[in-house]
Amino acid sequence: MNILRENFTGNLLMIGLGSIAKGVIPLFLRHLTITPDRIKVISANADDENLVDTYGITHQQVTLTEENFRAIIEPNLKKGDFMVNLSVNVSSLSLMSLCREKDVLYIDTSIEPWEGGYTRETSTLSERSNYMLREQALEFGRKQKDAPTAVICQGANPGVVSGFLKQALLNMAADNGISATPATREDWAELARQLGIKTIHVAERDTQNVAMYKPRNTFINTWSIDGFIGEGLQPCELGWGTHEKHWPEDGVEHETGCKAAIMLSLPGASVQVRSWTPLEGAYVGYLITHNESISIADYLTIRDGDKVVYRPTVHYAYHPCDDAVLSLHELAGKNWHEQPRKILIRDEINHGLDELGVLLMGNQKGIYWYGSRLTIHEARELAPFNNATSLQVAAGVLAGVIYAIRNPRESILEPDDIDHNAMLEIAGLYLGEITGEYGDWTPLEDRHFPFKEDLDESDPWQFKNIRVR
């Protein structure tokens, strides 16, 4: 591997010490001109693996709250530093505001509220949604254009999948005999329309597993369990396409903002959808809310004045590792009360991979999937303290950090705003096999029910055909 070394002269402050933080620290030390004495970690949890001691990094264990975060963080920031926020239950907007005041670069993998923001019963569904968190972050960015770069929602998904999408569109254009050199978001949206793309899934199948049965009262996952449960209990969200003819009975529109997405009045962990990846084939996954479902739909919107004339339906179709599926079933059976024990598997994994990409539907040549296949064995060879899932996310964080260092005055950036070639060049060092494949699957196939569902056979890419329940 040719070692990329990006010049960075500031200090790096990391918020959070979960699976992604542990996985990305070795990448920072490998690819940034930084020494351990210039890295500090602040986290609510203890360093149970002595990682910071291994690398000689300063660690402060403290729970950040709305009342204390400034007093704790501000002494650790100066102009030219970089904050890497990989925490949960800490307001991204509060941290971004502080970074702007101190002229500090910023990145996160999701826009987080303060603890309780996802489940507060006094808040409306819209107020608890990723849609509204994104709108607030974008509004913060619009207030000051010439400001230190803050890259929001940049991991694997959201994050690298936006780079996959652009490369997939270019690949399909070449295969369809279309000459395309898109440079603006309007160009990318027009290319998607020209290719006939109606629906886009972030289609992921995680097959990593361990040689043990899942114990009762235990949630097992390959990445942040608190993060996954938080997402799973949020309202189900998806970008809503202009080709859709059937409004969901439980669909909810937003009253403000870009209006590129809708919600279902159910938690995402209870909504199942049909999708496809090349290795797995047809599968049923969960429609978990993710920022890319909204940002990609917004990015690929074409308007004629105030009228939206083109937009694809976009959403996540996630089949986590088998133990996480069992954990979700148990969580639902407990009326969505969390299990008392949590196991984030990494070194226990004995086989499997994470197949993560974008699935584009509607083109005359069939469906097209483009993305990463990373096995657990490849992940272990590439970087310590990782499984396949965490390394895909860490690769996206590394790419976002380097992009911000190279472009330090861009204010708020989403993954869709980042040059996809630069993103994939950096992240691709840690993504295993990156490939694209066509298929002939549709959601109207492989149905083995003793009754006929209410389908729209005139257009397989209607959401009502993709949704299971």
Side-chain angles (χ1 to χ4, degrees), residues 101-123:
E101 291 175 23
K102 306 291 286 187
D103 205 1
V104 167
L105 299 173
Y106 172 90
I107 192 171
D108 62 38
T109 56
S110 67
I111 308 172
E112 291 279 326
W114 288 112
E115 185 170 10
Y118 286 141
T119 56
R120 188 177 295 115
E121 294 182 358
T122 56
S123 300

Side-chain angles (χ1 to χ4, degrees), residues 108-325:
D108 62 38
T109 56
S110 67
I111 308 172
E112 291 279 326
W114 288 112
E115 185 170 10
Y118 286 141
T119 56
R120 188 177 295 115
E121 294 182 358
T122 56
S123 300
T124 66
L125 284 179
S126 185
E127 289 170 340
R128 292 166 45 198
S129 67
N130 278 333
Y131 177 95
M132 197 56 65
L133 289 169
R134 174 178 181 263
E135 288 292 331
Q136 292 167 357
L138 295 181
E139 178 59 28
F140 174 76
R142 284 189 286 265
K143 289 179 180 178
Q144 187 177 342
K145 295 290 187 180
D146 181 18
T149 299
V151 184
I152 58 174
C153 300
Q154 173 63 29
N157 57 308
V160 172
V161 292
S162 291
F164 289 159
L165 172 63
K166 289 180 177 178
Q167 189 58 55
L169 289 170
L170 291 175
N171 293 350
M172 294 183 73
D175 295 339
N176 281 268
I178 298 172
S179 178
T181 55
T184 66
R185 61 187 301 162
E186 291 79 13
D187 293 341
W188 288 105
E190 182 54 44
L191 178 57
R193 177 166 70 167
Q194 193 174 358
L195 289 168
I197 305 304
K198 294 183 176 181
T199 298
I200 299 171
H201 287 178
V202 174
E204 179 178 7
R205 177 59 167 109
D206 182 354
T207 64
Q208 295 170 98
N209 223 326
V210 297
M212 68 176 188
Y213 291 107
K214 188 193 87 64
R216 292 183 67 247
N217 297 313
T218 303
F219 200 112
I220 294 177
N221 197 21
T222 55
W223 58 281
S224 172
I225 293 171
D226 290 334
F228 186 27
I229 292 176
E231 290 176 353
L233 296 184
Q234 278 184 268
C236 179
E237 298 181 77
L238 64 157
W240 192 247
T242 47
H243 73 289
E244 299 287 0
K245 298 182 290 186
H246 310 280
W247 182 258
E249 291 183 0
D250 50 0
V252 180
E253 290 186 279
H254 296 280
E255 297 180 359
T256 61
C258 68
K259 299 190 177 180
I262 68 168
M263 299 178 295
L264 306 180
S265 55
L266 290 168
S270 70
V271 179
Q272 295 182 325
V273 288
R274 298 174 176 89
S275 194
W276 182 92
T277 63
L279 294 181
E280 180 70 12
Y283 69 93
V284 172
Y286 295 95
L287 203 167
I288 304 293
T289 179
H290 259 209
N291 191 79
E292 75 270 16
S293 302
I294 307 159
S295 70
I296 290 174
D298 191 15
Y299 194 82
L300 296 182
T301 295
I302 297 176
R303 289 181 170 86
D304 183 3
D306 293 333
K307 182 181 179 182
V308 174
V309 296
Y310 170 77
R311 177 189 294 135
T313 292
V314 186
H315 61 78
Y316 194 15
Y318 181 36
H319 192 310
C321 72
D322 294 344
D323 284 323
V325 173

Side-chain angles (χ1 to χ4, degrees), residues 307-417:
K307 182 181 179 182
V308 174
V309 296
Y310 170 77
R311 177 189 294 135
T313 292
V314 186
H315 61 78
Y316 194 15
Y318 181 36
H319 192 310
C321 72
D322 294 344
D323 284 323
V325 173
L326 293 174
S327 301
L328 282 176
H329 283 309
E330 186 179 46
L331 178 67
K334 293 178 174 293
N335 200 24
W336 307 109
H337 292 288
E338 293 184 22
Q339 294 94 322
R341 187 180 181 211
K342 300 171 184 177
I343 301 176
L344 199 155
I345 55 173
R346 190 187 71 201
D347 298 339
E348 308 95 324
I349 298 171
N350 58 10
H351 68 278
L353 57 77
D354 205 322
E355 187 180 23
L356 168 66
V358 291
L359 179 66
L360 282 66
M361 293 161 270
N363 183 258
Q364 60 184 358
K365 286 187 173 293
I367 59 173
Y368 183 69
W369 184 95
Y370 186 85
S372 160
R373 295 169 177 165
L374 181 64
T375 70
I376 181 60
H377 304 297
E378 290 172 318
R380 286 176 176 147
E381 290 176 358
L382 288 168
F385 297 102
N386 275 287
N387 59 32
T389 307
S390 68
L391 188 55
Q392 287 171 328
V393 180
V397 174
L398 176 68
V401 165
I402 291 177
Y403 192 86
I405 291 170
R406 294 175 179 174
N407 302 270
R409 301 296 299 180
E410 298 294 325
S411 190
I412 299 295
L413 286 179
E414 293 187 282
D416 316 281
D417 302 317

